[in-house]
Amino acid sequence: MSSKTIIMFSGDLDKAMASLIIANGAAAMGDDVTMFFTFWGLNVLRKAKKIKVKKEFMENMFGFMMPRGADKLALSKMNFGGAGTAMMKSIMKKKNVNSLPELLDSAQAMGVRMIACTMSMDVMGIKQEELIEGIELAGVATYLGEADSANLNLFI
Amino acid sequence: MAEKHINARGLQCPGPIVELFKVAKAADSGDIITIEVTDCGFSKDINAWCKKTGNELVHIDEIDGIIHATIKKS
């Protein structure tokens, strides 16, 4: 058995889908998979619902300006104010491609370990209650510890 | 020895191998798993999956755009 690590840095829909497809695929090949969500990638893990937590003004602004969860992400290209993303989602649904929330559920069900970067959470004012269930909170050392024994590492 | 069947028609990558993995995990050594897939990438993927997971690809063919594979759990 080998292991894979993926750093999810981007908060773009297309990049997040690629990461999650690789993570699901690797888990299905019998590998241990660890995903480390940092910076914009944290938005992938946010709950769709607004959660009431105590925040400072700037943290509230960040929370308001960034996409709230996997279903709200936009394409990195051809977004066109959301029209491109809507078109892409519609065609993917028609072609029976799993949605990003479905890919997240499936990855978690297969035991993919998901870690949220605590420094990014602090900077962006994202609290644990605002993230989906089953997410570990840790720093770069935890990720590096996993990467040490992995034979594939991706920065997406 | 049990025989299990998976209908993975219409599933896109990585759906078929995810379903196959779940069934294979619950299966016993020597069990036969048959799977039907419409994603054409699967015919290459199943070779890589079997090689990696150590299971045996007993048979594979394609009829009218549907890939039928038979896998024996190691």
Side-chain angles (χ1 to χ4, degrees), chain A residues 4-15:
Chain A
K4 318 283 183 218
T5 53
I6 300 173
I7 302 172
M8 185 77 246
F9 178 89
S10 168
D12 293 327
L13 173 64
D14 36 15
K15 294 179 187 181

Side-chain angles (χ1 to χ4, degrees), chain A residues 23-66:
Chain A
N24 275 283
M29 299 285 269
D31 283 343
D32 282 332
V33 185
T34 301
M35 298 184 79
F36 187 69
F37 293 79
T38 186
F39 273 84
W40 313 116
L42 270 183
N43 292 317
V44 178
L45 300 180
R46 290 174 78 190
K47 282 179 184 154
K49 213 176 101 206
K50 189 169 165 43
I51 305 293
K52 257 200 141 26
V53 278
K54 208 170 143 45
K55 287 193 189 194
E56 289 169 21
F57 175 73
M58 283 292 280
E59 291 180 335
N60 266 322
M61 289 298 285
F62 261 118
F64 174 73
M65 289 189 292
M66 297 187 303

Side-chain angles (χ1 to χ4, degrees), chain B residues 4-73:
Chain B
K4 295 177 163 74
H5 180 72
I6 306 167
N7 179 358
R9 294 185 195 195
L11 291 186
Q12 295 275 17
C13 178
I17 58 164
V18 167
E19 293 309 312
L20 182 54
F21 178 74
K22 287 181 191 161
V23 171
K25 199 176 172 187
D28 295 318
S29 179
D31 283 359
I32 297 291
I33 304 165
T34 56
I35 183 167
E36 290 177 332
V37 181
T38 45
D39 170 22
C40 66
F42 184 78
S43 46
K44 279 236 187 286
D45 279 11
I46 186 61
N47 284 291
W49 186 86
C50 284
K51 194 177 164 195
K52 168 89 183 166
T53 56
N55 296 298
E56 184 192 344
L57 180 59
V58 180
H59 181 75
I60 183 162
D61 61 27
E62 187 181 334
I63 304 160
D64 298 330
I66 297 158
I67 301 160
H68 302 260
T70 306
I71 295 108
K72 188 177 176 188
K73 164 121 181 188

Side-chain angles (χ1 to χ4, degrees), chain A residues 76-118:
Chain A
S76 65
K77 299 220 176 355
M78 282 181 26
N79 186 38
F80 298 119
T85 296
M87 275 167 64
M88 180 63 86
K89 279 187 180 174
S90 130
I91 196 136
M92 280 181 161
K93 194 170 180 187
K94 203 173 136 198
K95 302 239 180 210
N96 206 26
V97 174
N98 284 336
S99 70
L100 188 54
E102 286 168 346
L103 287 167
L104 276 168
D105 282 350
S106 157
Q108 285 193 309
M110 284 204 293
V112 171
R113 193 175 170 203
M114 298 191 182
I115 302 170
C117 163
T118 46

